[in-house]
Amino acid sequence: MSIFKTFSRRTYEVFLVAAAAAFFSGALAQETVTLLIHPTLYGATGGDEGVIKAFTEETGIRVNVVTAPTDQLREKAVIEYVGGTGQYDVATLQDAWMNEEITAFLEPLSQRVEQLDESYDFDDLVTSLVGVNTVDGQLVAVPFRGGTTMLYYRTDFLEAAGVEPPQTIEELYEAAEALTLDQDGDGTTDVYGLVLRGKPGFEVTQDFTRILFANGGSVLTEDLSGCALEEPESVETIQFWQDVLQNGYIPPDTLSLGRDDQIRVLQTGGAAMGIYFSPYYGRIISELDPSLVGWAVTPTAEGVTSGRSLNTLWSLAIDRNSDSKDAAWQLVQWLTNTENQIEMAVKYANAPVRESTYVDESFIGKNPLGPEWLQATAASRFEPTHPRFPEIADIISVELTGAMEGRRTAEEAAARMCRQVDRLL
């Protein structure tokens, strides 16, 4: 009998320990969410010591962070969405991806928004950014990091040359010519008037689209059913790129320049002006006296709304198959609420998605271009949300590069773009 009692008690104790372990293991699993995010965006949250860590401390919900560059991020998300695994509870998605190939796998958020506490102030989110994430009347993602296009320039070079910040594309070209300098008089260029990203792929395509939109052009027709790249505005934009390279107004290695290269060229005095993603102001002045950096809305063609160019948006979406939707929704709210949007913008150079951030004193203190930034955001537009846009972007990259290298005229490049794009559509 004593042996039986001892065995029973031990069995009972083991049972209690196992039950407790199972309970806490299940509890922990429920309170863990996986976030798929671009590494730059993770840096904009403050990284390992930023607002995501504060979220865990505040809520007890652990966040498993998985980072991936743009192309890999989309691929990872789509694979898991199609597989129905629910692996990535929350993912950062770009505006151009908001089409039926992805949105069908996303958790509808409109009803959750209706139940938000007033303190969240959903109406403070920039309306145009919310609109990109609204498909068939249903919100499928919340804006997280939104940026537009700005002209940044070296005030010392413009003042020395007596050049005013250009307001039109024609003036941009003329300024690029005037600011291309042989300072040493040895027959070589020391300062280029303009620096652009020419690295094949999404970088050159994005910078091309920035100037295309500023010139009043479009990639696709309004209903996304046809190519618009043979229109005069597009041909003129291709010609602009061809001329500034072949005439030596941008660096000769432009076709290898990416984001960090473009920033460094302006910082080190290798160029006088650049067309940049607006949040890069913080990066530029990190290694350059702020008094040497000026800004203006992107120059536009005559008759085009001042500041019209390319907006870029990263948003937070929840997988429809997630097992932790409530915890995921808490993370989405945390990363997009008023307080944390200000903190990320001020401390970590995140690009704001709330109107209130642009007029916040602490933000203006770090980003005096806030009013122009907001003006450009309101005037600008997004890349087409067509499912085939990644392939369209590759076509633009290849054909634009061919024109810049002088292998075809602007008209030929535009025609080649549209023949291939129309086949895709």
Side-chain angles (χ1 to χ4, degrees):
M1 181 68 70
S2 61
I3 294 176
F4 177 76
K5 287 182 177 178
T6 301
F7 177 77
S8 299
R9 184 167 57 251
R10 288 177 178 172
T11 302
Y12 181 65
E13 290 171 351
V14 170
F15 172 77
L16 285 178
V17 170
F23 173 81
F24 286 113
S25 175
L28 286 173
Q30 290 178 356
E31 294 301 315
T32 300
V33 295
T34 297
L35 170 66
L36 177 64
I37 189 169
H38 191 285
T40 299
L41 273 63
Y42 184 50
T45 71
D48 294 342
E49 299 299 318
V51 299
I52 291 178
K53 178 182 179 181
F55 171 76
T56 298
E57 294 171 348
E58 177 73 19
T59 65
I61 300 171
R62 297 187 304 166
V63 181
N64 175 34
V65 177
V66 178
T67 62
T70 303
D71 294 340
Q72 293 178 29
L73 191 152
R74 183 179 185 275
E75 182 180 356
K76 282 177 177 288
V78 170
I79 288 174
E80 301 305 327
Y81 290 161
V82 172
T85 65
Q87 179 175 345
Y88 302 122
D89 303 291
V90 181
T92 51
L93 304 178
Q94 276 194 334
D95 52 90
W97 304 346
M98 290 300 167
N99 54 64
E100 62 270 20
E101 287 196 351
I102 286 186
T103 57
F105 300 104
L106 305 182
E107 176 72 3
L109 301 176
S110 295
Q111 187 172 353
R112 290 182 181 270
V113 168
E114 292 174 0
Q115 298 170 354
L116 282 171
D117 186 273
E118 289 185 2
S119 62
Y120 180 83
D121 194 6
F122 185 83
D123 291 338
D124 183 40
L125 294 167
V126 177
T127 302
S128 61
L129 306 186
V130 174
V132 173
N133 295 326
T134 303
V135 180
D136 296 329
Q138 179 65 251
L139 184 74
V140 293
V142 178
F144 164 67
R145 173 181 170 89
T148 189
T149 307
M150 298 289 290
L151 173 73
Y152 293 135
Y153 58 86
R154 290 286 298 262
T155 57
D156 49 346
F157 291 146
L158 268 68
E159 289 173 2
V163 174
E164 294 292 324
Q167 297 182 23
T168 67
I169 292 179
E170 183 179 355
E171 290 177 357
L172 177 65
Y173 184 85
E174 292 171 351
E177 180 180 11
L179 292 165
T180 297
L181 307 171
D182 172 13
Q183 294 179 313
D184 300 330
D186 60 359
T188 61
T189 299
D190 303 304
V191 180
Y192 293 92
L194 184 66
V195 59
L196 300 166
R197 293 182 302 166
K199 187 175 182 179
F202 79 93
E203 291 190 272
V204 69
T205 300
Q206 222 172 48
D207 274 19
F208 168 78
T209 308
R210 286 170 174 160
I211 299 178
L212 173 65
F213 288 175
N215 200 36
S218 301
V219 175
L220 300 179
T221 57
E222 195 67 30
D223 62 359
L224 307 184
S225 65
C227 177
L229 292 168
E230 278 190 285
E231 297 297 320
E233 296 85 358
S234 177
V235 175
E236 290 168 3
T237 304
I238 297 171
Q239 189 69 58
F240 175 91
W241 278 77
Q242 188 178 58
D243 288 347
V244 291
L245 177 63
Q246 294 188 358
N247 290 331
Y249 304 152
I250 59 177
D253 60 346
T254 290
L255 294 176
S256 67
L257 297 184
R259 178 195 66 180
D260 293 341
D261 306 304
Q262 186 194 27
I263 291 172
R264 186 163 51 252
V265 169
L266 196 73
Q267 287 175 328
T268 58
M273 304 181 297
I275 302 292
Y276 289 89
F277 185 45
S278 54
Y280 294 167
Y281 176 78
R283 286 175 172 265
I284 292 170
I285 65 170
S286 66
E287 297 184 19
L288 189 63
D289 184 341
S291 69
L292 296 179
V293 181
W295 63 87
V297 296
T298 304
T300 54
E302 295 288 349
V304 175
T305 304
S306 177
R308 182 187 193 262
S309 188
L310 174 67
N311 279 340
T312 304
L313 177 66
W314 287 94
S315 299
L316 297 167
I318 299 174
D319 187 343
R320 190 186 287 264
N321 288 306
S322 167
D323 291 328
S324 304
K325 292 177 184 176
D326 290 341
W329 179 236
Q330 289 188 59
L331 177 61
V332 171
Q333 291 177 70
W334 182 267
L335 292 173
T336 60
N337 68 26
T338 303
E339 179 181 352
N340 286 322
Q341 277 287 307
I342 291 174
E343 180 172 351
M344 290 187 293
V346 173
K347 289 186 178 180
Y348 311 120
N350 188 43
V353 295
R354 288 180 169 273
E355 291 186 12
S356 60
T357 307
Y358 288 99
V359 296
D360 181 81
E361 291 184 2
S362 58
F363 176 75
I364 294 295
K366 287 284 189 71
N367 300 272
L369 65 153
E372 291 86 356
W373 188 340
L374 185 57
Q375 174 193 345
T377 299
S380 295
R381 58 185 300 176
F382 295 89
E383 291 174 337
T385 57
H386 195 282
R388 301 279 73 81
F389 186 73
E391 294 100 313
I392 293 171
D394 287 340
I395 291 169
I396 293 173
S397 172
V398 170
E399 299 304 333
L400 176 63
T401 299
M404 293 174 68
E405 291 176 336
R407 291 187 278 114
R408 57 189 61 100
T409 67
E411 291 80 3
E412 290 169 343
R416 289 169 63 96
M417 287 179 187
C418 274
R419 279 199 299 271
Q420 296 171 74
V421 170
D422 283 332
R423 281 199 295 268
L424 282 176
L425 300 178

